[in-house]
Amino acid sequence: KTQIFDIQNLDAKGLKLLEIPAALIRKGENVVFPTETVYGLGANALDPEAVKKIFVAKGRPEDNPLIIHVSELSQVDALVAVIPEKAKKLMDAFWPGPLTIIMEKSAVVPEAVTAGLNTVAVRFPSHDIARAFIKLAGCPVAAPSANLSGRPSPTEGKHVLEDLDGRVAAIILSADGELGLESTVIDMTLDPPVVLRPGDVTVAELREVLGEVLVAASITKNTSTDKVKSPGMKYTHYSPKGELVVVKGNPDQIREKITQAVAHYHGKPMTIGILASDETMESYHTGVIISLGSRDDPKEMAKNLFSRLRTFDELGVEKIYAEDIPLNNETLALLNRLYKAAGYTFI
Ligand code: TXA
Ligand code: MG
């Protein structure tokens, strides 16, 4: 049975409660905890048996490596062979926060965490409860997003309960993360460094600190036939139960295509969904019409994406048409998740 801890504040009572799941981590159990991006499914990163339980709980393929979370900078030294100068600059600029840095691993990091790679992904989250939890646990915490493999990442406590209640020792519920998409992942073992997954820390911000930075082609394209750099790139991701397609074109073309597609299902016993924006949702009249937020606020749209996809599921939507939006530095992370969720199906 999963123990649930609702911790809103790090007052004396909150800290005392937090000691229970922290002790479970030390005992080799799995505990879900909040972060500023999405909820994480944690285990003691230095305990291979505890780490293996994560893969079972999520149904995650074992060749997809995990991020190790720390609560202070000094913990990083033990996990990596060497911290490159440029990686130090990133830590100064963006930690604690939603940036994951890949470096060469040290011998103490178990293969179960890195899926046999000689590199390790490290992140220092900014969420106060995440930091206090890792600190109390007294060890670095390996954690993927706390969803069942293939499902949208959990941005709200109810998503975690849906996916993992009964599959982990404990779940810490708290105020929902403010970002809603997973951290930016950058590979610092390559020169120039390569962004493997876009997130709230944008490519432009990374370039301000590092100079030249490359972006993996797989971020906006289906590269499943290319050599896979980040093992996580090759799996189905973030998918709602309904079939999701992204509708491309200029705003008029998009509206026209969706209107026609929806009309095509008229009278058929199938529930159709439309993922629109505050600005466009009134141009549709049929189906389950949900706004992702305002087009003037890509961060708001990013924050809402995973929870909106789950809302379509709750409403039994079988086919979802999502409006495409222009690709730029601010929308890259959102479009990366949307395209992957759609399995790169476009009309
Ligand atoms: O915001 C986040 O990063 C959340 C929260 C919980 O911290 N975590 C998260 O973990 O999104 P996960 O496991 O869902 O995504 C980790 C990504 C995967 O795509 C994985 O393949 C990649 O990072 N990754 C991990 N270690 C790697 C490594 N050594 N080399 C290349 N990619 C790596
Ligand atoms: Mg994930």
Side-chain angles (χ1 to χ4, degrees):
K1 174 130 174 35
T2 301
Q3 295 186 63
I4 312 284
F5 300 89
D6 197 332
I7 303 182
Q8 298 300 327
N9 294 302
L10 283 175
D11 50 14
K13 187 170 154 249
L15 270 173
K16 192 148 178 27
L17 259 184
L18 206 50
E19 276 174 21
I20 307 168
L24 287 168
I25 288 281
R26 280 195 299 279
K27 271 199 243 154
E29 297 295 341
N30 287 173
V31 176
V32 174
F33 61 100
T35 84
E36 71 277 21
T37 58
V38 301
Y39 281 86
L41 167 48
N44 178 353
L46 304 180
D47 177 346
E49 293 311 313
V51 169
K52 282 179 194 154
K53 286 184 193 169
I54 291 177
F55 290 87
V56 177
K58 271 194 71 131
R60 181 174 174 112
E62 279 176 24
D63 62 351
N64 193 1
L66 307 178
I67 296 171
I68 299 187
H69 298 69
V70 298
S71 59
E72 43 209 290
L73 273 178
S74 59
Q75 285 177 292
V76 181
D77 288 321
L79 301 172
V80 304
V82 51
I83 305 181
E85 274 313 309
K86 283 183 177 177
K88 281 191 189 135
K89 285 192 182 174
L90 288 183
M91 295 174 190
D92 281 347
F94 301 110
W95 277 8
L99 178 70
T100 295
I101 303 176
I102 295 181
M103 291 168 280
E104 203 182 313
K105 86 178 204 50
S106 75
V108 305
V109 179
E111 290 208 345
V113 172
T114 63
L117 298 174
N118 58 4
T119 55
V120 63
V122 186
R123 168 158 127 75
F124 181 171
S126 61
H127 194 288
D128 59 345
I129 293 182
R131 291 170 65 173
F133 170 64
I134 298 164
K135 194 168 178 173
L136 281 174
C139 57
V141 174
S145 49
N147 50 283
L148 288 174
S149 195
R151 298 278 297 145
S153 297
T155 56
E156 296 171 28
K158 67 174 183 183
H159 305 156
V160 176
L161 295 171
E162 245 166 55
D163 281 15
L164 294 175
D165 195 7
R167 304 179 71 89
V168 293
I171 294 173
I172 304 167
L173 299 177
S174 188
D176 299 323
E178 73 235 49
L179 300 177
L181 294 184
E182 309 88 339
S183 61
T184 305
V185 178
I186 186 165
D187 188 341
M188 295 305 295
T189 68
L190 302 170
D191 198 13
V194 180
V195 174
L196 300 179
R197 183 174 72 184
D200 186 71
V201 174
T202 67
V203 175
E205 286 173 316
L206 291 166
R207 285 184 178 143
E208 268 173 41
V209 174
L210 297 175
E212 193 180 4
V213 170
L214 303 180
V215 176
S218 56
I219 282 178
T220 51
K221 284 193 204 62
N222 187 356
T223 53
S224 55
T225 53
D226 294 9
K227 184 169 173 287
V228 175
K229 288 254 176 49
S230 186
M233 289 172 175
K234 71 178 181 222
Y235 300 106
T236 322
H237 262 314
Y238 319 120
S239 301
K241 290 174 187 142
E243 190 188 335
L244 174 66
V245 300
V246 176
V247 184
K248 287 195 170 273
N250 66 40
D252 288 339
Q253 290 168 328
I254 290 176
R255 183 170 25 83
E256 196 48 37
K257 281 187 193 174
I258 293 181
T259 306
Q260 274 181 22
V262 170
H264 171 79
Y265 294 103
H266 188 74
K268 290 189 188 157
M270 192 190 204
T271 312
I272 306 299
I274 301 171
L275 187 57
S277 64
D278 291 354
E279 289 82 1
T280 57
M281 65 186 295
E282 269 160 27
S283 49
Y284 305 108
H285 306 284
T286 323
V288 177
I289 303 152
I290 295 182
S291 170
L292 202 46
S294 168
R295 291 196 168 208
D296 295 332
D297 191 350
K299 280 192 196 267
E300 184 198 3
M301 294 182 121
K303 179 178 170 150
N304 290 334
L305 177 67
F306 290 139
S307 96
R308 297 294 188 268
L309 293 179
R310 285 189 186 245
T311 303
F312 283 120
D313 287 351
E314 285 158 23
L315 298 173
V317 172
E318 292 162 87
K319 179 114 193 180
I320 307 159
Y321 293 94
E323 293 180 335
D324 196 21
I325 57 171
L327 177 70
N328 58 44
N329 185 60
E330 273 66 46
T331 59
L332 180 64
L334 167 66
L335 289 176
N336 163 258
R337 305 312 192 279
L338 179 65
Y339 293 175
K340 277 178 171 261
Y344 301 93
T345 315
F346 301 106
I347 58 167

